[in-house]
Amino acid sequence: MTTATHSSGTWQLGDRTVHRLGFGAMRLTGTGAFHNGTPRDRGTSIAVVRRAVELGVNHIDTAAFYFSALRSANEIVNSALAAFPADEVLVATKVGPRRDRAGGWEGAARPEDLRGDVEQNLRELGRDHLDLVYLRNMRWDSLADHFGALAELRQEGLIRNLGVSSVSTAQLHEARAIAPVVAVQNKFGLDDTDSVEVMRACGELGIAFVPFFAIAGARPGAEDAATAATGTAEAEEDRAAKVAEAHGVSPQQIRLAWTLAQGPHVLAIPGTGDIAHLEANIAAGAIRLTQEDLESLG
């Protein structure tokens, strides 16, 4: 069955081929990220993940620190994927940020903490290895000690592939000197293009660029507590709305289509806990923006 997910194209993510349109698990736990909002119904969240896979998604992004008072994204992903062959979906996770059992943010992980954080992800996901682990940069000047610790776990077989997140081009090169990097995950979207040089560097190196908040942009509620949308962001939203009207789709779908249009190495991982929103996100994989559309979006 051909779906919009398949229409998005594919990319070789380490040792696996994935569709460029994937799924982010952060919103599975509640209506707001982490401890915010209302916890979601567990059965509904499991159904969302299974529907994503049915529609062709074979790349899911999650983390052990994605949890609310009642829900764990890793546990939901684990339960949902039990219905599919073990190697059907590449599951990526990330380490670096840490939360205590009450949900409060703790200090960033130290290099010696990373083994325990990786093992926590293994337990929660019910796996004997992790397909892809990102090191999220927690305002460190150098990633060497932390990335070196993950490289050792990769050599032990606990991790198949490594990535880095929230990094500069220099930090990407620093990590690559220690171990292969298959993906970079930075904040990037239509109205937040600060990482454009990192994105271009990834393309030149044949590395996947996996932006987060491609839909949210600079609007309130972002993971890094970004400020409210500026006049520039509002102008971008207006542009997206005009292009969306011409295509008969939503501005959010145009944002996803714009993300995928940035290069064949650019993947998208939109997240939601709602099946209707999921299906709308998946449909964006079939949208083809014209050069005129891209110029209009800036």
Side-chain angles (χ1 to χ4, degrees), residues 157-216:
L158 297 182
I159 301 171
R160 287 275 179 84
N161 301 286
L162 294 174
V164 288
S165 177
S166 298
V167 296
S168 66
T169 304
Q171 289 170 327
L172 168 59
H173 291 313
E174 179 188 36
R176 292 184 71 241
I178 297 170
V181 174
V182 305
V184 172
Q185 191 176 100
N186 277 17
K187 189 168 183 286
F188 183 82
L190 181 59
D191 49 20
D192 189 342
T193 57
D194 288 348
S195 288
V196 66
E197 293 303 325
V198 179
M199 179 189 74
R200 290 171 178 164
C202 287
E204 293 169 358
L205 295 167
I207 294 172
F209 183 75
V210 190
F212 57 87
F213 296 127
I215 297 179

Side-chain angles (χ1 to χ4, degrees), residues 13 59 61 134 183-186 208-212 265-269:
L13 195 53
H59 169 208
D61 183 86
Y134 292 95
V184 172
Q185 191 176 100
N186 277 17
F209 183 75
V210 190
F212 57 87
H265 68 296
V266 180
L267 314 185
I269 47 169

Side-chain angles (χ1 to χ4, degrees), residues 3 170 236:
T3 70
E236 296 290 0

Side-chain angles (χ1 to χ4, degrees), residues 257-281:
W258 178 89
T259 299
L260 293 172
Q262 300 309 299
H265 68 296
V266 180
L267 314 185
I269 47 169
T272 181
D274 179 89
I275 287 183
H277 289 164
L278 166 72
E279 294 178 345
N281 290 342

